[in-house]
Amino acid sequence: MEKKIKSTYKSKDTEEFLDIWFTRPCGFVMALLCNALRMHPNVVTIISMVIGAFGGFCFYFGELKWSLIGVGSMIFANILDSADGQLARMSGKTSQLGRLLDGFSGDVWFFAMYLAIVLRLQTQYISLYPLPFEFGIKWGVWIWLAFFLSGAICHKNQVELSDYHRNIYLWFQSGSGELTDSSKVDGQVKAASFRTQFIWKLACIFYRSYTRRQEKQTPHFQTLFNMVKQRYGNDLPQALRDDFCTATKPILFWDNVITFNTRIIVMYISVLMGAEWIYLLFEICVMSLIWIIIRIKHENICKRIANGITQGKY
């Protein structure tokens, strides 16, 4: 069973501790069930999207009962989100549309959570509970600005970079993964018609924007990537693969920290405590600091290896 579960990983190096010991095993069981029911992975993704959005909106009420329902729904949605990818690899039904939906589902969950919390807090007085600080003024527009900074800027940049780093690692490790060039996606956008392929064209437009933002965050990697493709194509020297993977593997741990599990656990705790400001502070300060550090480290590694290629090291 353990070998079968591992066969549905993208790579053990890119898996998080909590996923290995909880989410992936539970997702594997769900994937087996969905496979027996002949469900398509994309259908599982959509179901997880709906359940996760419901869980997020449960946080609107601010009551322990509803918060627990929300947490339970989000955990189940995350298991289904794991199951869709495992089912796709198990059944061979992987697709670019599936990847787009999989990435979009997490955005839907967090948007629902953020919106529910903002709508509840905007009429409440600012409090730093459990700290003894009361300000006597309502959150009002400030809570909207705080969650916009947290979600639309900090969260978005962190998740995009961590996803890109993992796909870069998989490409250098084995030539697998989902490392996508935005110019190729641009070709798909131009080839699709709004009249006959409305949903697909719209999905490609969003994905093109997503990949362009990832590329904008990694200028030194783009230089390295273009150099590698021009010199070696997909037949990279093993020494180059080993050097890159050895140097960037420690960064993967921190990429995992800023992607989902750590963030959602802090969200759960802050919501159950009735102290959502803890999540905001953690997201904007702690997670952003990690994002800045790993971005600089990864870019420096790419710059060093590109110099090594120029000097004939590989």
Side-chain angles (χ1 to χ4, degrees):
M1 180 62 71
E2 184 178 353
K3 289 182 180 179
K4 289 180 179 179
I5 295 172
K6 287 181 178 179
S7 70
T8 61
Y9 293 172
K10 289 182 180 179
S11 166
K12 189 174 181 180
D13 289 343
T14 59
E15 295 289 338
E16 296 183 66
F17 175 83
L18 185 59
D19 288 338
I20 291 173
W21 293 103
F22 176 72
T23 311
R24 295 305 187 199
C26 293
F28 183 74
V29 173
M30 290 300 302
L32 290 176
L33 176 61
C34 294
N35 194 42
L37 295 173
R38 298 183 179 181
M39 295 177 65
H40 194 280
N42 292 351
V43 174
V44 180
T45 304
I46 292 170
I47 294 173
S48 76
M49 200 182 301
V50 173
I51 294 174
F54 167 76
F57 281 118
C58 286
F59 296 146
Y60 170 77
F61 302 98
E63 299 175 8
L64 181 60
K65 175 184 71 175
W66 281 105
S67 295
L68 289 172
I69 293 173
V71 170
S73 299
M74 293 292 296
I75 291 173
F76 184 54
N78 191 36
I79 291 171
L80 287 177
D81 186 59
S82 174
D84 63 10
Q86 291 171 287
L87 176 61
R89 289 183 283 276
M90 182 189 301
S91 61
K93 295 178 180 177
T94 57
S95 66
Q96 186 173 346
L97 179 60
R99 170 165 163 72
L100 295 177
L101 286 173
D102 188 56
F104 185 60
S105 63
D107 294 337
V108 171
W109 303 348
F110 276 97
F111 178 79
M113 277 191 292
Y114 289 172
L115 182 61
I117 293 170
V118 165
L119 289 174
R120 171 165 53 84
L121 291 182
Q122 65 177 347
T123 59
Q124 296 182 8
Y125 287 98
I126 297 176
S127 169
L128 297 186
Y129 175 84
L131 299 177
F133 293 107
E134 296 283 349
F135 294 92
I137 55 175
K138 293 182 178 180
W139 280 104
V141 69
W142 296 108
I143 195 64
W144 288 91
L145 294 175
F147 269 97
F148 178 81
L149 174 61
S150 171
I153 298 177
C154 299
H155 181 166
K156 179 175 68 66
N157 285 329
Q158 294 157 14
V159 171
E160 288 173 353
L161 184 68
S162 64
D163 177 63
Y164 200 48
H165 279 177
R166 284 179 293 187
N167 284 315
I168 291 170
Y169 182 88
L170 291 173
W171 190 81
F172 272 93
Q173 183 187 54
S174 59
S176 61
E178 298 163 337
L179 187 59
T180 307
D181 188 330
S182 64
S183 62
K184 292 182 179 179
V185 185
D186 189 48
Q188 292 175 318
V189 171
K190 293 176 181 177
S193 168
F194 265 127
R195 180 174 298 180
T196 58
Q197 299 171 293
F198 178 80
I199 294 177
W200 172 245
K201 188 175 181 73
L202 193 63
C204 288
I205 290 172
F206 280 114
Y207 192 48
R208 178 179 62 183
S209 177
Y210 179 79
T211 56
R212 282 177 175 174
R213 290 195 301 269
Q214 288 178 318
E215 291 167 356
K216 190 174 180 180
Q217 288 199 60
T218 54
H220 286 304
F221 170 72
Q222 301 310 314
T223 300
L224 171 63
F225 192 38
N226 290 329
M227 184 182 297
V228 167
K229 287 190 294 183
Q230 289 173 5
R231 293 203 178 198
Y232 309 113
N234 290 321
D235 188 21
L236 276 64
Q238 192 59 46
L240 173 58
R241 293 185 185 274
D242 293 343
D243 190 6
F244 185 88
C245 291
T246 300
T248 58
K249 186 176 179 180
I251 296 176
L252 291 177
F253 171 82
W254 297 105
D255 281 314
N256 287 335
V257 167
I258 65 172
T259 182
F260 181 80
N261 285 331
T262 303
R263 170 181 285 106
I264 201 67
I265 289 171
V266 174
M267 172 65 86
Y268 292 159
I269 292 172
S270 63
V271 168
L272 292 173
M273 289 176 60
E276 289 82 359
W277 67 270
I278 294 176
Y279 173 79
L280 287 171
L281 187 65
F282 179 77
E283 169 69 79
I284 295 171
C285 297
V286 179
M287 299 287 265
S288 292
L289 179 61
I290 295 172
W291 167 71
I292 291 169
I293 292 172
I294 64 175
R295 180 180 176 182
I296 293 172
K297 284 183 174 293
H298 197 277
E299 284 289 278
N300 285 339
I301 291 169
C302 292
K303 186 177 180 181
R304 174 181 65 79
I305 292 179
N307 289 334
I309 293 175
T310 303
Q311 296 165 10
K313 180 179 178 181
Y314 308 103

